[in-house]
């Protein structure tokens, strides 16, 4: 069997089903022009992917293989390879609308062998007794736990493969019928290299303190979550390896349930996007679509809302490409309920800046915060950002870290909306909305759109 191994969300050699197939192989990675043209030239994710691709190429070379790089529309790549006698393209699943449509087109050029890798469960593995998808997390979670077996943490062995003879140097650029070989550097695909510090997944697994995860995970100033989302997004860590780590921890008496539950949230969101593709752009429920307001949007994106925990979150995102989960929830609620902006605007702002951006987790989380999603989260559950910051960042350590203008302000004033309206804080704006009034307004709009 002669096959093309298409690396996408699985940028690793260990425990990769793609490398367990055997036969004669042409391993490839495509810098997809359709995606890259939409990104900022300094997008951190491109630098991250580039580094990981070089590492993957090296690791494959150590195993007697290699990685051929393309800069092109994937459909053009497969058209150019179709006449070379390959039996199939093998790749692991990708669930957003663009990826599914792209794969559908590729499957018309060469037979497509879909492998299961990115998630614990296959999209059709967890269904209700009537064979329809779950809509509510808790029963999905219960079913997931009941179906979970050792097969879900199986390690894929590296299988001996013969490398298909080709020129593996540089980046092959395809433009319709034009072909060019570019230097292997970020500039060749039109981007500027930016530093993108992140810990290796194995270093994280060796040092992560799971013991107190449940107690600490909601407090952004403690910084005690795993930061594995980026590695799960690009497959630089196998989900099964992470599960094996959890299983070892469990055997050592360390509580793992809270962490496992978050991983199942990730599954659930990918599952919902797979079964209900229309939610990528549309509300699942309620007609209210938000009120477009470019001034409010700009204040939010520039961390000028005057609500300290929200501005701190946005600054964390802009500076690091990451935002703590609790703060993501506070910001998304503020955006959709206090500012009444369309959730799709917030979703694309996060999509632009999050290093761990994942369509399913981002879209479904935004719909959850807006109250327009599939889950039973009602539209009238609105976060009060001041109560949230008082509870989860009492001493305002996180706020002060990311809003230096507030460094000398007494912590309790930063959770007090009235004080923030009355004080003049050099270099920091007054709140742009009053929470109570804004929440009241949101309820009115949502009720009207029922
Ligand atoms: P940990 O707490 O260590 O959790 C371990 C893993 O579980 C994470 O790496 C992640 O894969 C998964 N996970 C944790 N929390 C969630 C959650 N609430 N939903 C789904 N999966 C979860 N996550 C993304 O990976 N990409 C996104 O684009 C994304 N956008 C989000 C947007 C909003 C508005 C919200 C509220 C949440 C979003 N999340 C997203 C989920 C969550 O915030 C991140 O996965 C988490 O903050 C990543 O940090 P961590 O790896 O330290 O998480």
């Amino acid at each position: 069997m002669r096959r093309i191994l298409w690396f996408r969300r699985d940028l690793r050699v260990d425990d990769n089903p793609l490398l367990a197939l055997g036969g004669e192989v042409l391993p490839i990675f495509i810098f997809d022009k359709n995606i890259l043209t939409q990104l900022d030239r300094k997008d951190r994710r491109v630098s991250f992917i580039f580094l990981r691709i070089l590492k993957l190429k090296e690791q494959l070379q150590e195993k007697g293989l290699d990685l051929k790089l393309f800069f092109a529309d994937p459909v053009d790549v497969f058209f150019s390879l179709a006449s070379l006698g390959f039996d199939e393209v093998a790749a692991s699943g990708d669930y957003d609308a663009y990826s599914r449509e792209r794969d559908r087109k590729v499957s018309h050029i060469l037979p497509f062998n879909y492998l299961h890798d990115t998630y614990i469960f296959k999209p059709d593995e967890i269904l209700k007794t009537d064979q329809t998808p779950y809509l509510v997390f808790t029963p999905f979670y219960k079913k997931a736990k009941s179906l979970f077996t050792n097969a879900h943490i199986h390690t894929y062995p590296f299988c001996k493969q013969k490398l298909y003879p080709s020129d593996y140097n540089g980046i092959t650029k395809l433009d319709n019928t034009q072909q060019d070989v570019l230097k292997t550097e970020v500039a060749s695909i039109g981007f500027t290299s930016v530093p993108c510090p992140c810990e290796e997944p194995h270093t994280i697994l060796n040092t992560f303190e799971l013991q107190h995860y449940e107690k600490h995970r909601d407090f952004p100033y403690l910084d005690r979550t795993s930061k594995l989302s980026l590695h799960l997004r690009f497959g630089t860590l196998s989900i099964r390896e992470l599960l094996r780590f959890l299983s070892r921890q469990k055997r050592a008496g360390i509580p793992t349930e809270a962490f496992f539950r978050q991983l199942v949230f990730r599954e659930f969101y990918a599952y919902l996007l797979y079964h209900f593709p229309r939610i990528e752009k549309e509300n699942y429920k309620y007609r209210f679509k938000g009120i477009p307001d470019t001034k409010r949007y700009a204040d939010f994106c520039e961390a000028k809302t005057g609500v300290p925990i929200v501005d701190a979150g946005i600054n964390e995102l802009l500076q690091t490409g990451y935002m703590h989960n609790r703060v993501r929830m506070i910001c998304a609620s503020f955006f959709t309920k206090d500012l009444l902006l369309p959730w799709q605007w917030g979703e694309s702002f996060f999509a632009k800046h999050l290093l761990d951006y994942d369509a399913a987790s981002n879209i479904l989380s935004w719909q959850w915060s807006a109250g327009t999603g599939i889950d039973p989260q009602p539209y009238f559950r609105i976060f009060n950002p001041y109560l949230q910051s008082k509870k989860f960042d009492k001493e305002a350590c996180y706020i002060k870290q990311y809003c230096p203008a507030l460094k000398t302000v007494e912590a309790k004033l930063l959770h007090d909306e009235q004080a923030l309206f009355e004080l003049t804080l050099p270099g920091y704006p007054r709140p742009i909305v009053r929470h109570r009034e804004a929440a009241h307004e949101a309820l009115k709009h949502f009720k009207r759109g029922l």
Side-chain angles (χ1 to χ4, degrees), residues 410-425:
E410 213 185 326
K412 71 173 187 202
L413 298 176
L414 299 174
H415 313 303
D416 180 341
E417 183 179 44
Q418 191 51 35
L420 289 163
F421 269 104
E422 286 164 10
L423 288 167
T424 300
L425 299 170

Side-chain angles (χ1 to χ4, degrees), residues 219-223 308-317 320 322-328 330-331 389 392-404 406 414-415:
F219 298 88
Y221 68 93
L222 291 177
D223 197 15
I309 189 73
V310 172
D311 294 337
I314 300 303
N315 282 333
E316 181 185 17
L317 177 64
T320 67
Y322 177 83
M323 192 195 292
H324 186 276
N325 179 59
R326 170 61 48 182
V327 189
R328 291 187 205 201
I330 300 171
C331 286
S389 65
F392 296 110
D393 188 27
K394 193 161 195 279
E395 299 307 323
C397 300
Y398 174 83
I399 290 177
K400 291 181 183 197
Q401 180 182 353
Y402 288 107
C403 291
L406 301 174
L414 299 174
H415 313 303

Side-chain angles (χ1 to χ4, degrees), residues 123-373:
D124 287 324
E125 209 173 330
I126 304 181
L127 295 172
K128 292 193 282 188
T129 40
D130 64 1
Q131 298 303 297
T132 61
Y134 282 94
L135 302 178
V136 179
F137 179 72
T138 306
F140 174 86
Y141 182 55
K142 277 193 188 143
K143 186 74 178 258
K145 281 207 300 185
S146 75
L147 291 178
F148 186 75
T149 66
N150 271 344
H152 293 103
I153 56 174
H154 160 80
T155 309
Y156 285 90
F158 180 88
C159 186
K160 193 153 177 49
Q161 290 143 94
K162 181 170 178 264
L163 183 66
Y164 176 82
S166 180
D167 182 0
Y168 287 88
N169 293 319
I171 303 175
T172 305
K173 181 182 176 191
L174 296 181
D175 247 332
N176 299 317
T177 52
Q178 288 276 90
Q179 185 163 327
D180 237 338
V181 178
L182 313 172
K183 278 193 189 159
T184 315
E185 51 193 36
V186 183
S188 298
I189 55 168
F191 285 79
T192 306
S193 178
V194 280
C196 186
C198 87
E199 269 191 296
E200 282 299 310
H202 294 102
T203 314
I204 298 179
L205 292 187
N206 288 333
T207 53
F208 182 52
E209 284 181 29
L210 194 55
Q211 180 84 38
H212 304 297
Y213 175 76
E214 184 165 19
K215 206 163 101 204
H216 291 155
R217 62 179 288 268
D218 270 321
F219 298 88
Y221 68 93
L222 291 177
D223 197 15
R224 295 276 169 79
T225 62
S226 69
K227 302 255 172 85
L228 282 172
S229 48
L230 172 65
H231 294 296
L232 290 173
R233 166 66 184 86
F234 293 106
T236 38
L237 173 68
S238 143
I239 181 71
R240 294 172 301 280
E241 185 168 354
L242 179 54
L243 292 168
R244 292 191 292 271
F245 161 81
L246 289 185
S247 144
R248 286 193 300 276
Q249 298 277 312
K250 195 171 173 182
R251 283 201 300 275
I254 292 168
T256 55
E257 172 101 20
F259 194 88
F260 180 69
R261 192 179 156 85
Q262 292 315 114
L263 292 181
V264 180
F265 258 116
R266 172 178 175 269
E267 294 286 313
F268 186 51
Y269 288 161
Y271 167 92
L272 292 178
L273 189 62
Y274 177 87
H275 288 287
F276 304 96
R278 75 170 177 89
I279 57 176
E280 185 156 342
K281 301 266 184 276
E282 295 169 23
N283 287 7
Y284 180 76
K285 59 179 182 241
Y286 304 138
R287 287 196 304 275
F288 178 57
K289 291 190 164 72
I291 301 173
D293 181 326
T294 49
K295 169 76 175 76
R296 284 184 164 195
Y297 180 64
D299 285 341
F300 179 87
C301 299
E302 290 165 22
K304 289 182 182 157
T305 67
V307 180
I309 189 73
V310 172
D311 294 337
I314 300 303
N315 282 333
E316 181 185 17
L317 177 64
L318 298 177
Q319 284 168 31
T320 67
Y322 177 83
M323 192 195 292
H324 186 276
N325 179 59
R326 170 61 48 182
V327 189
R328 291 187 205 201
M329 290 198 285
I330 300 171
C331 286
S333 173
F334 181 78
F335 188 94
T336 51
K337 301 291 174 50
D338 292 52
L339 299 183
L340 283 174
L341 293 167
W343 65 261
Q344 291 89 339
W345 289 20
E347 197 278 328
S348 29
F349 175 66
F350 271 31
K352 182 170 176 200
H353 294 284
L354 279 175
L355 261 174
D356 66 17
Y357 171 65
D358 170 76
S361 289
N362 203 45
I363 291 163
L364 271 295
S365 299
W366 273 91
Q367 290 236 34
W368 182 89
S369 295
T372 54

